[in-house]
Amino acid sequence: MSNVLFLNIPAHGHINPTLGLVDALIKEGENVVYFCTDQFKKKIEKTGAIFKSYANFRGNHIPGKMSTIDDYLDIINNDLYKSQETISEILEKIKNIKFDYIVYSAMFPYANIISQILKIPTISSFAIFATKEELRPANSLSINENQIKNYQNTGIYKNVAGKLEKTYNIKMPEIVDMYFNMGDINIAYTSKYFVPHPEYYSENFIFIGPPIYDGEDNLDFPFEKLEGKEVIYISLGTVFNNTSSKLYDIFFKSFANSDVIVVMSAYNVDLSSFDIPSNFIVRNYVPQSKILKYTDVAITHAGMNSTNDLLYNNIPFVAIPIGADQPYMAGRASELGAAISLDKDKLTSEILKNSVKEVLINPSYLENIKKISSSFKQTGGYQKAVEEIFKLKKEKHIFD
């Protein structure tokens, strides 16, 4: 049995893909210690992992929300201010455990630093875009590496980097790599068929398909209302879902009082100003994997996890990307003929209704979805990841 250290950022989209991996590793006899913030304690402990919290992590500064280079640098500033506290806290809480390897979110800003300190093999989890090259054309954020490197040579970064290098005898990563932490193994939750540029991915990447793992709680949900009905599922995720009330207004107007049941996930969204139609079931959180069994068509923000779930389960969908990896995911699904991607700023009820109708009645969308779904199912899933990790253990002479 090996001791495994997991480090992640406090965001559903980054934590959820790793839960099935944790579960699979524990079933193989590994001992997993998982760091995150307290709000995710229950979800993580459900896998059998030992949960540890870090109190000094960077609050609500989630990289997924960055939309300009200034946002990126602001987030880096915030991380750097807290870096010494967070790193020190983690090291203090694990000082009595000898870890054999580390698994981290590629966007965990101190991943490279901590792995250097511990001197153990690394596995990186790419829950969103897997390379900077994929991000550039798809996101409103333009990563100007020269601007970032100029920033790197001034101010807080230079000061903090010097202290960390001296304290821990490590080499600080380039700023541009702080949210693209590579590992000895890099896990991509998709297939080579889905990515438009497989040449961007080194041989150290493994494609394991969508993170299919049912770790959802048994929530009180009126599934009986979905029986025998046409069901539309709407979700804008958990990060950008509060961006615009206009979108929710369009949803209500488009499908109000129609002969369909609309299940809408509105995570921490204030809808008190709306008159919610009687055929809508709106919840702060819904058991998505179970809802999809009833779903005929979906409307999604096109986050990686949601898009993968829809494709894997052969569900036609309309995408309304808002930010981060969403334009990339929506664009690729549309390019492969598997979905319609709409501009959120030009969206109307008529456009939305027509698009939903089109993906439902035009068989080409489902045919192309099935091609992607088939490529996902051939990847090997979490078991493939475990096999590759155990190969790495053997190569690094890690013996239980």
Side-chain angles (χ1 to χ4, degrees):
M1 175 173 60
S2 295
N3 289 322
V4 189
L5 176 62
F6 263 73
L7 301 174
N8 215 329
I9 66 174
H12 291 279
H14 291 264
I15 292 165
N16 290 345
T18 67
L19 298 178
L21 179 59
V22 172
D23 178 74
L25 287 171
I26 289 174
K27 286 177 178 174
E28 291 292 333
E30 306 290 75
N31 178 55
V32 175
V33 176
Y34 199 123
F35 273 84
C36 201
T37 52
D38 286 332
Q39 71 183 107
F40 296 100
K41 183 176 188 289
K42 181 180 178 182
K43 177 180 284 192
I44 290 167
E45 287 186 335
K46 191 175 180 181
T47 66
I50 298 168
F51 174 82
K52 289 186 180 294
S53 66
Y54 30 57
N56 293 314
F57 203 67
R58 56 200 156 94
N60 295 319
H61 289 76
I62 304 301
K65 284 192 172 182
M66 61 189 180
S67 58
T68 68
I69 194 66
D70 289 333
D71 290 340
Y72 189 89
L73 295 178
D74 284 345
I75 290 169
I76 289 172
N77 258 336
N78 186 73
D79 290 340
L80 289 170
Y81 273 121
K82 295 190 176 182
S83 60
Q84 290 171 297
E85 293 178 38
T86 304
I87 293 168
S88 177
E89 180 183 14
I90 291 172
L91 294 177
E92 174 64 24
K93 288 184 176 180
I94 63 172
K95 65 181 180 182
N96 295 321
I97 307 173
K98 183 183 183 302
F99 287 98
D100 297 292
Y101 58 95
I102 182 173
V103 186
Y104 47 69
S105 163
M107 284 192 168
F108 188 83
Y110 321 122
N112 181 286
I113 299 168
I114 292 175
S115 63
Q116 286 187 68
I117 295 170
L118 297 180
K119 296 181 175 62
I120 53 178
T122 55
I123 295 94
S124 185
S125 170
F126 281 83
I128 307 186
F129 29 77
T131 67
K132 288 171 283 186
E133 291 80 7
E134 297 282 16
L135 172 62
R136 283 193 185 97
N139 194 274
S140 57
L141 169 66
S142 174
I143 294 185
N144 184 323
E145 295 190 22
N146 288 329
Q147 185 176 347
I148 292 174
K149 286 179 179 178
N150 288 336
Y151 171 85
Q152 178 173 297
N153 294 322
T154 61
I156 183 173
Y157 181 86
K158 191 173 182 180
N159 181 41
V160 173
K163 288 181 180 178
L164 290 173
E165 288 182 339
K166 184 177 180 180
T167 300
Y168 297 112
N169 191 29
I170 54 98
K171 176 67 175 174
M172 280 290 286
E174 299 284 329
I175 279 186
V176 75
D177 293 323
M178 285 190 70
Y179 297 110
F180 296 92
N181 287 282
M182 304 291 281
D184 296 312
I185 294 174
N186 301 288
I187 299 173
Y189 301 95
T190 185
S191 65
K192 278 191 175 181
Y193 175 74
F194 188 79
V195 297
H197 297 286
E199 67 272 17
Y200 291 164
Y201 300 81
S202 70
E203 61 183 13
N204 292 332
F205 272 93
I206 58 171
F207 294 83
I208 70 167
I212 305 302
Y213 172 70
D214 186 8
E216 296 174 339
D217 294 325
N218 292 319
L219 301 177
D220 181 21
F221 190 88
F223 289 102
E224 68 279 0
K225 292 185 178 181
L226 311 184
E227 297 285 353
K229 291 285 189 177
E230 182 177 314
V231 176
I232 299 174
Y233 174 49
I234 302 176
S235 174
L236 297 184
T238 59
V239 176
F240 290 94
N241 55 314
N242 232 329
T243 302
S244 173
S245 60
K246 175 190 172 185
L247 291 178
Y248 292 98
D249 185 51
I250 291 173
F251 297 153
F252 293 139
K253 289 180 179 177
S254 298
F255 307 108
N257 306 315
S258 59
D259 191 27
V260 298
I261 297 295
V262 180
V263 177
M264 189 165 78
S265 173
Y267 182 76
N268 288 346
V269 178
D270 182 6
L271 298 176
S272 60
S273 63
F274 292 98
D275 183 14
I276 299 175
S278 60
N279 62 319
F280 275 66
I281 302 173
V282 181
R283 295 286 188 274
N284 184 59
Y285 181 83
V286 302
Q288 181 165 290
S289 64
K290 296 178 177 65
I291 294 295
L292 293 184
K293 295 176 182 178
Y294 297 86
T295 300
D296 295 284
V297 64
I299 298 167
T300 177
H301 63 307
M304 190 165 187
N305 291 330
S306 295
T307 304
N308 281 345
D309 276 354
L310 295 170
L311 292 169
Y312 187 91
N313 288 283
N314 296 316
I315 296 172
F317 65 95
V318 172
I320 308 173
I322 302 173
D325 61 327
Q326 298 159 23
Y328 168 80
M329 294 298 293
R332 184 55 176 162
S334 176
E335 184 180 9
L336 291 172
I340 293 176
S341 180
L342 301 176
D343 185 336
K344 66 179 176 61
D345 296 320
K346 299 178 181 178
L347 189 65
T348 65
S349 292
E350 183 177 5
I351 291 173
L352 182 59
K353 286 189 290 186
N354 289 340
S355 299
V356 168
K357 182 178 180 181
E358 173 66 12
V359 296
L360 264 176
I361 67 174
N362 186 332
S364 68
Y365 289 99
L366 185 56
E367 290 169 7
N368 291 320
I369 286 173
K370 287 180 177 178
K371 291 177 185 177
I372 301 171
S373 181
S374 177
S375 76
F376 286 167
K377 292 168 183 174
Q378 292 172 25
T379 60
Y382 285 121
Q383 193 54 45
K384 172 69 173 176
V386 171
E387 290 171 6
E388 293 298 323
I389 290 171
F390 275 62
K391 283 182 187 177
L392 179 65
K393 287 175 60 176
K394 187 174 181 180
E395 291 170 5
K396 300 293 185 179
H397 304 289
I398 299 172
F399 303 107
D400 297 337

